[in-house]
Amino acid sequence: MGRFLVKRVLYMIPTLIGISVICFIIIQLPPGDFLTSVLSSMAESGNRPDQASIDRLTAQYGLDQPIYVQYWRWISGIVFHGDFGWSFDWGQPVGHLIWDRLGITLLVSSLSFVLIWVIALPIGIYSAVNRYSLGDHFFTFLGFVGLAVPTFILALILMYLSFTYLGLNVGGLFSPEYENAAWGLAKFWDLCQHLWIPIVVIAVSSTAALIRVMRANLSDELSKPYVVTARAKGLSEFTLIMRYPVRIALNPFISTIGWVLPSLISGVTITAIVLNLPMAGPLLLRALVSQDMYLAGAFILLLSALTLVGTLMSDILLALLDPRIRYQ
Amino acid sequence: MQTPPTEDPHEMDPHLAGAAGSATAVASQWQLVAWRFGRHKLAVIALYVIVFLYLIGIFAEFLAPYATDTTRAKYTYAPPQGIGLIVHPPDGGWYFGLHSFGYDITVDEAAMRRSFTPNPDKVIPLGFFVHGEPYRFWYMFDSDLHLFGPTNPKDMVYLLGSDRLGRDILSRLIHATRISMSIGLVGVAISLCLGIFLGSISGFYGGRVDTIIQRVIEIVSAMPTIPLWMGLAAAIPLGWPPTRVYFTVIAIVSLLGWTSLAREVRGRFFSLRGEDFVTAARLDGASEMRIIFRHMLPSITSHILAMVTLAVPAMIIAETSLSFLGIGLKPPVVSWGVLLQDAQNLRAISNAPWLLLFPSLAVMLAVLAFNFLGDGLRDAADPYDA
Amino acid sequence: MTLDPTPTLSVRNLTVQFALRHGTLSAVNDVSFDLWPGRTLGLVGESGSGKSVTARALMQLVDPPGNITSGQILFGDADIAKMPRRGSEIRRIRGAQIGMIFQEPMSSLSPVHTVGSQIVEVLRLHLKLSREGARARAIELMRLVEIPDPENNIDRYTFEFSGGMRQRVMIAIALAGDPDVLIADEPTTALDVTTQAEVLDLIKRIQRERGMSMLLITHDMGVVAEIADDVAVMYRGKIVEAGPVDQVFHQTTHPYTQKLLASVLKLERAADQKKQDPRPPTARVILKVRQLGKTFGAGSDAYGARTTQGVRAVQNVSFDLLEGESLGIVGESGSGKTTLGRLILRVIEPTDGTIEYSPDTGQSVDIRALNKAGLRGIYRQIRFVFQDPFSSLNPRMSVRQIIGEPLQINGIASGQGLVSKVSDLLEMVGLEPAMMERYPHAFSGGQRQRIGIARALALDPRILIADEATSALDVSVRSQILDLLLDLQKRLTLSVIFISHDIGVVRYFCDRVAVMRHGEIVEIGDAQTICTSPTHPYTKALISAVPYPDPRTPRMNQRIRFIEPQTQKAPQ
């Protein structure tokens, strides 16, 4: 098990490097280096930068160096000093801007994830065990619809519905009166009222997908010989289905975390933009539009790293559950 | 371990057992696939829906009553108009005639908005094959014939409502169908070429080539798509011409779509490589090209078709999302996503819900249809697995 | 043994039907039999005869769309046929009063639960034992089924066990509830011959000791002859013949049983053709294999890291193949025989040794030294017949395309010439030329194997390598295919390397036999000599383990066990 863990963590490193390279490419993509944009924005605000400070910035970011040196400065700053660069749009270090928003992003994603599992698992089991029943057809259809609605449209629709029918403005995380209030039960309740929409919105499409995964996996397992063996032991149908096929169908289900997490983070990003939540999404969009590339790069890097960590956790969980992997 | 003789009641399925004597005996793969596909009613319906959507895209100019940029400032946020069949003229009596009622417009100064009430006295006669705004069809033929519209070209009719500039949503939606549906198709084509190329190399050669390609796929698919797309799309310079933006967006969207296709193709190639009939082909003296193209590819084409169909919705959603965020396609190009851009804030939606409703329905219809079709194809893809 | 006057379980006029899309199918049709205490009933039949469905019906384990539509299964005072499939009544019988052993010991056990927990479950459920009591009893049961070191093995997973050990676990599960009736559905079909003998011994011993009634489902007449007291022969859902084992074997009445026994007994000796027409001993050597070896997985892995020494699948194999002879390669699973077949044609690249091919005209060549073009030339001379008639034919190509493929590739025939060549080939293997437009799915297993043979013969080869070419087929079809091959071999003076796990088939077909074990040839020589008086202890054990299809000469009693040399490890 320990060996497995070490191997798995080591295996992650090249992937992380690959992701950081892609992020760095994105940072470099806009025409001109960021110094150009700094200079133009400084010029706009009226204070002409002197040559000395231009040289200082050039040296600091290695802009006169080859591209791989620039990459190395950027990545080593992150890895060794936690320095994600400077946000010119905000005039602050990137590090000051991202952590709060990533924290809430993580919180909402995790809650959505829990919701997805709590819904998808039992429905998937039900659908597989009662294949082609009325309920199965109903959930299958619902799943198709859930997959067909893009996350942001769902967010818009829910926003519209809750505004017209419930009179709630669900944008943001808090109602204006609680925005700056001290934490208390009332504020928490207000948060919950705002939080449920993004959580549900983000959960829908992955839930639909996972129901189908569970249904397909379990249907396969239900026809396996070991189920007949269990039945021949005299176990009750419920016990044997939960103890054997469900237990085994759980493994591929867990490994879906690998693609559920990226899509969850995607959903969280766009939903936050639509609902204007203080999460990574809106800030990322703003950074991209204003070409505040270090900020944007940091977000993309960290959001990707988040999914990698999630995948690592799912692999560990899988190894705990499945001796075949553990004993490799 | 030896293969034990099987005893499966399905082996005795009279349908299969009798196959030797029936038409199935000489049925090729595609006939079998078509037969199986025909049993999925929903998938067949979905196929018709998709054909219908593409026809709309192809004949957009002819089908849309107006061009995408025909503005009437007077009709800002006009709600959808109904269609009537029986006209009651003010002088009494009635007659049959396709028509809508014109609007009486009052301006609410305080709320800064116009309100529209249909006036039964302002009958706008509608008709088929009417002459209206001139257009150039497919950059080639000039015409002013429209399938449907007001018989008097000066009249405006908003069957699905209008937007901030008084543009007809129906016409814009029809034009947007061309862009959005074609993005799905072109994007998938690019993904497919990349996916098949890299997937088959990976699957056929295995070893180190395979490891490298797999790692790249892993890295790309580990990254959340929306932030990555945003990062790439945001780099499109603002000054680029629309067609260039269009193809760049397609490229970005398909750049990330190929991974799952490549993974699928690779998996299929791997399992096929071990099949005895592929070894048999090798022992028949077949060259590697012949093995790939004559023996292996035909076995996976039906699966690829299903995969491709299932990949289209992701492309459509990706384009829609990017354009919605304002970093994909931009006006004057119209796509479903561009249309939804107008429905970005609560104020716009609550004023004019049709801005959200109709483009959303179009997206959902297309995505749903592709999903059903892909599902049906996937079930039919392997007619030999009984 | 005295006969108890009442049977433990009586089946009366049992019918099981499957509702299919095109009507109903009676998989089991009006079947009646009794199980007596302390006796074993062997239910034999070929695939599709309905024997497995019958076994499952006894425990209400037939899944939809299958249904028991009429008849009774009388067990004690109860009629199992009347019990609902998921009810508590039948659940009290399953595992407690009737135990069942399944065919596939790998897939019939859960891969993610320890073997112990799968045994303990039954003990807790039916005997209401405490956790500790159940564990102790499970260890006892594992000892009973001769699993070594049960105290430790109880906490292991099935994938850590060999096939034979897994089947012992299966038996322990079936015995855990202390049942009166044991149903064994092809319990040894997936096992090697020596393992089969040991598992059968074990089942028989336990059944005797406990005085259980046993229903043994099998396709193997030899197993029936060794184990059963009574026999029922099933054919197309019906029992066509039943009675004490001796009577069924020696006073056979039904034509189907006669045919079945004839085809089984036929494979108990060399083919008649062989006796009439012995191979000329002065034949030329056509293929000379020396020190051939294959080590898998040696060297570096995909990341460049050094791995272990690798697995030696085949090592130091040398033999000569004479012109016109058939050489059998026999061995159990993992002996390397299949790898050997593929090494000769470099489908798997050998790591050591030479393969020298000497055609009757022209130079000898070392196949290992050839480039791709040269190897294609060899592929015309040496052809391959595959084991699995389903996977070896491309389902997407018609028979004409499949057989025509080698002709086309090698530029031998095309267009009308190709059609007539394919017709000739089809006729040669006993198929209608009119069938050539059909696709493989329209053919039965035996017919498909004929198509595979036709494809192999299309290029007029000198050598045929047949890898388990008949093991996926039923007994009666098997002997037909063997006769076809014998006939073709004689007509075309082919040399054949015949790879098989089945000693009977090899003895029937081959002139000489090489016995393989752990990648090496342990003994090679004349087929009759090796099959009747082998010299190597492993061969002795192997030959003695084959069940003989005559209840009057049970072979298992004089079985020789091969004691592993010192190098052998634990039972995994």
Side-chain angles (χ1 to χ4, degrees), chain A residues 29 43 57 89 168 171 246 250 254 272 277 282 304 313:
Chain A
L29 265 184
L57 280 170
D89 194 16
L168 288 173
V246 168
L250 216 52
I254 288 170
L277 304 175
S304 306
M313 275 158 43

Side-chain angles (χ1 to χ4, degrees), chain C residues 504-550:
Chain C
V505 168
V506 169
R507 176 171 42 206
Y508 183 74
F509 186 81
C510 296
D511 304 303
R512 286 192 306 142
V513 182
V515 181
M516 283 190 78
R517 181 165 181 277
H518 293 338
E520 287 176 292
I521 291 182
V522 295
E523 187 166 10
I524 184 165
D526 181 71
Q528 294 314 309
T529 319
I530 286 201
C531 291
T532 45
S533 48
T535 46
H536 192 278
Y538 173 70
T539 319
K540 281 182 184 164
L542 191 67
I543 302 280
S544 76
V546 180
Y548 188 68
D550 183 352

Side-chain angles (χ1 to χ4, degrees), chain C residues 303-320:
Chain C
Y303 301 101
R306 290 292 299 179
T307 50
T308 49
Q309 298 179 335
V311 181
R312 291 193 159 186
V314 171
Q315 49 184 326
N316 204 14
V317 165
S318 306
F319 63 86
D320 291 332

Side-chain angles (χ1 to χ4, degrees), chain A residues 11 225-226 228-229 231-237 243-244 247-248 251 322-324 326-327, chain C residues 59 63 86 91 94-95 107-108 110-113 118 121 125-126 157 159-160 170 173 303:
Chain A
Y11 189 80
Y226 67 80
V228 185
T229 308
R231 209 168 272 146
K233 288 175 179 175
L235 293 170
S236 77
E237 202 63 12
R243 197 174 293 174
Y244 292 100
R247 170 77 179 66
I248 290 167
N251 296 346
D322 193 337
R324 287 170 295 184
R326 203 162 58 229
Y327 280 67
Chain C
M59 284 171 88
D63 281 321
R86 303 272 186 266
R91 291 210 315 267
R94 287 179 190 158
S107 52
S108 295
S110 162
V112 299
H113 295 82
Q118 297 183 61
E121 184 174 56
L125 181 73
H126 292 300
Y157 294 91
F159 58 85
E160 299 174 87
M170 191 76 235
I173 291 173
Y303 301 101

Side-chain angles (χ1 to χ4, degrees), chain A residues 257-279:
Chain A
I257 293 177
W259 57 260
V260 166
L261 278 181
S263 86
L264 212 61
I265 296 282
S266 279
V268 141
T269 310
I270 198 161
T271 309
I273 295 171
V274 173
L275 297 178
N276 193 24
L277 304 175
M279 294 198 263

Side-chain angles (χ1 to χ4, degrees), chain C residues 218-333:
Chain C
T218 181
H219 68 284
D220 188 332
M221 293 304 266
V223 170
V224 175
E226 301 275 359
I227 300 286
D229 303 302
D230 305 292
V231 183
V233 182
M234 265 190 104
Y235 178 60
R236 297 205 174 158
K238 289 189 181 235
I239 290 184
V240 293
E241 180 149 10
V245 62
D246 193 78
Q247 181 192 321
V248 171
F249 273 78
H250 291 280
Q251 291 149 44
T252 320
T253 54
H254 195 276
Y256 173 73
T257 321
Q258 285 166 349
K259 204 181 104 218
L260 190 67
L261 273 173
S263 48
V264 171
L265 288 168
K266 196 168 148 190
L267 296 182
E268 286 302 318
R269 54 178 194 278
D272 296 339
Q273 298 186 22
K274 292 268 173 213
K275 291 179 190 152
Q276 294 158 10
D277 183 18
R279 169 181 54 90
T282 53
R284 212 171 53 80
V285 172
I286 190 165
L287 191 76
K288 190 190 261 177
V289 173
R290 288 293 175 272
Q291 270 86 44
L292 194 63
K294 172 69 187 178
T295 310
F296 281 110
S300 57
D301 67 6
Y303 301 101
R306 290 292 299 179
T307 50
T308 49
Q309 298 179 335
V311 181
R312 291 193 159 186
V314 171
Q315 49 184 326
N316 204 14
V317 165
S318 306
F319 63 86
D320 291 332
L321 179 68
L322 306 180
E323 197 161 38
E325 87 162 336
S326 42
L327 172 69
I329 312 256
V330 215
E332 297 186 294
S333 53

